[in-house]
Each structure stands twice: as structure tokens, then as C-alpha cells.
Amino acid sequence: MTWSEMQPLLSQASWDTLYMVGWATFISVVGGLPLGILLVLTDRGGLLQNVVASKVIGQVVNIARSMPFIILMVALMGFTRSLTGTTIGREAAIVPLAVGAIPFFARLVETAVREVDGGLVEAVQSMGGNTWTVVRKVLVPESLPSLISSTTTTIVALIGYSAMAGTVGAGGLGDIAIRYGYQRFETQLMWITVAILAVVISLIQFAGDYAARALHGRGGHSGPAPRLRLLRPKPEPARTDVSKAA
């Protein structure tokens, strides 16, 4: 196969992979962030302590994480068809990709949030801050560098999942590697696909690490004063001494 024949295949496959991974990442963050925070809040000693709820949510997350992705795709075929009307193609692949990544990302969020200094939480509570205020002003901002790293890890994992999704007709670079590189013995095309995946993963990892270091350097993990200042009452205006003025 010549390069002129490979180029349109690789271009379309790369776009399909980015499309699937992009949407799956967005859904995973939207679903996994509150789930991970809820795991911390409902745990023993948390702001919303509920041991039963924490155990139930934790078990559901563990079961979802333990299921191999290829089996998860098959198990969700009925659900995928009800949402997208089909079980093949990039739109259909987004469903199992997101479902598989949400519990994965939730556990990473839980680990990141648990690293936040408990003294900051107590300080906000002593100023009258409620649970939502603690989450918005302390837990999320203070764990943001770790959350960026967790998102990067999730994206890299989703790229690997998307390659497996290509084995069942989802499209993308994994599909190209299987259909052309393996089944038609186009070894050159297969190795080019592997190289593209390696470059994409390296760029994503570099961008994620750079963003996490930048936030950490600005005090994103150890700068409580600017944030807690938002909760402090405004200082009263200085009183004028009438006797001195006279």
C-alpha cells in the first residue's frame, strides 16, 4: 500500500479516535468528578458521612472498574443501541468508553481530594461555610493540579480503550491496525498507526504534566490564603475620633 493510499485512511482514523476520546473524556469528567467527591464526603469522618451510601457507591465503582473493557462493550450493547440506535461506529463506541472511564476517573478524583489539608476545610467551616462552599472553595481548587494529572491519565487510558473498540467496528486507529495491519498483512501501515498513537499519547502526557506543574507553581496546591480571604468578613470602616477633630 502506497502513502497516497494510507494518508486518507490514517487521517480519518485519527479524527475518529480524537472524536471518541474527546467526548468520552468530557462525559467521564462530568460524571466522575462529583462521584469521586461524593466518595470522600460520604466516607467515615466526611462532611456528609453516610457509611452505607459510601459502601454502596464504592462497591459499584469497584465492580465497574474490574470489568475488562472488551466485555463491557458486549454487555452494554443493548444500552448502547437504545441511546445511539446502533452498536458500531464512533458514536456507539463513546457509550462504553465513557461508562468504563467514569469509575476509573472517580477513584483518581477521590485520591486527589483526600490529599487536601483538613485544616483548610475546618477553617472554612469555622467561618460558616457549608458543604458546597467547602467543595467549591477548598476541595476542588486545592486538588486541581492532581485533578489535571488524573484527567491526563484518563485520556491516555481512553486512547487504549478506543484501540480495543476498533476490534468491534468502532473505527479509529485501532480499527485500521486490525483490518489493514493484521488481517491484510500491511505491516508498514500497522507500525505507522502505532507511531501515531505513541506521538499522540506523548503530547497529551506532556501537556497534562505541564499544566499540573504550572498550577502547582502558582500555589494551586498550597495557597490557602487567597482563597480563604474570599470568606473573611469585610473590615469595618475606621472610626473618626470626634474629640481630636474638635
Side-chain angles (χ1 to χ4, degrees):
M1 182 178 288
T2 63
W3 173 248
S4 60
E5 295 173 324
M6 294 182 188
Q7 188 174 5
L9 291 173
L10 293 172
S11 299
Q12 184 61 44
S14 299
W15 166 247
D16 289 344
T17 296
L18 294 176
Y19 181 87
M20 290 186 292
V21 171
W23 275 107
T25 301
F26 175 76
I27 298 171
S28 301
V29 171
V30 171
L33 181 60
L35 185 59
I37 294 175
L38 190 62
L39 284 169
V40 176
L41 296 179
T42 58
D43 198 8
R44 195 179 303 276
L47 299 178
L48 301 175
Q49 179 174 323
N50 189 322
V51 178
V52 175
S54 179
K55 293 291 185 182
V56 171
I57 297 172
Q59 286 301 319
V60 171
V61 170
N62 290 338
I63 292 172
R65 286 183 61 198
S66 65
M67 188 173 297
F69 181 70
I70 192 71
I71 297 176
L72 182 65
M73 284 193 299
V74 176
L76 291 176
M77 278 187 174
F79 179 64
T80 301
R81 185 181 291 108
S82 66
L83 289 180
T84 63
T86 181
T87 57
I88 60 175
R90 61 184 190 180
E91 283 77 15
I94 292 173
V95 177
L97 284 173
V99 171
I102 286 175
F104 177 80
F105 183 67
R107 283 300 186 189
L108 295 178
V109 171
E110 179 189 12
T111 302
V113 172
R114 287 190 187 280
E115 295 175 355
V116 176
D117 186 3
L120 299 177
V121 176
E122 294 175 0
V124 173
Q125 287 181 305
S126 67
M127 296 176 192
N130 56 20
T131 302
W132 169 244
T133 303
V134 170
V135 172
R136 188 167 57 92
K137 297 292 186 180
V138 178
L139 296 183
V140 173
E142 289 297 317
S143 61
L144 192 56
S146 296
L147 292 177
I148 295 295
S149 298
S150 299
T151 304
T152 304
T153 302
T154 303
I155 294 174
V156 172
L158 280 170
I159 292 176
Y161 290 166
S162 69
M164 285 188 283
T167 62
V168 293
L173 292 170
D175 180 52
I176 293 295
I178 293 295
R179 286 196 295 121
Y180 291 89
Y182 177 72
Q183 295 177 350
R184 302 186 185 183
F185 303 102
E186 294 287 349
T187 307
Q188 183 181 9
L189 179 59
M190 183 178 66
W191 283 113
I192 291 175
T193 303
V194 172
I196 292 174
L197 287 171
V199 170
V200 170
I201 290 174
S202 298
L203 291 175
I204 291 173
Q205 189 67 56
F206 173 80
D209 292 344
Y210 178 83
R213 285 195 301 269
L215 287 172
H216 188 83
R218 293 177 183 178
H221 197 76
S222 58
R227 295 180 179 86
L228 297 182
R229 193 179 298 123
L230 297 174
L231 300 173
R232 293 175 182 170
K234 295 181 179 179
E236 296 181 0
R239 297 179 180 179
T240 304
D241 194 333
V242 179
S243 60
K244 291 182 178 181

